[in-house]
Amino acid sequence: FDADFATKPHVARDLLECAESLRSQGYNVSVERWPLEVAKGIDDLLVAGHSPELLTGDAAVVFLASIDVVQ
């Protein structure tokens, strides 16, 4: 998923549905995030020499719960 989940509700919904589905099946979900103004996709982020922030455990759950899908 690209960082544009912050500006595109359908991308945000897909991200949340994927995470919820994985969690309901017993998987631990981690999230990598980065500022949209730095790069849209992780491929562009890495090519530009940046690294994403890794959120795991409760931090990932809190972050996912904070996503607004009705932008």
Side-chain angles (χ1 to χ4, degrees):
F1 296 100
D2 291 338
D4 63 351
F5 74 86
T7 59
K8 295 182 179 176
H10 66 281
V11 177
R13 274 192 296 278
D14 290 345
L15 173 62
L16 292 173
E17 287 175 10
C18 180
E20 288 171 11
S21 177
L22 289 168
R23 290 184 68 221
S24 73
Q25 295 178 49
Y27 289 95
N28 292 322
V29 174
S30 298
V31 178
E32 291 182 331
R33 70 176 176 180
W34 58 92
L36 181 57
E37 57 273 4
V38 174
K40 177 183 166 200
I42 195 164
D43 53 340
D44 298 322
L45 182 77
L46 297 173
V47 166
H50 299 279
S51 298
E53 175 186 10
L54 178 62
L55 302 174
T56 60
D58 290 341
V61 172
V62 168
F63 173 73
L64 290 167
S66 74
I67 295 175
D68 181 12
V69 296
V70 188
Q71 301 156 4

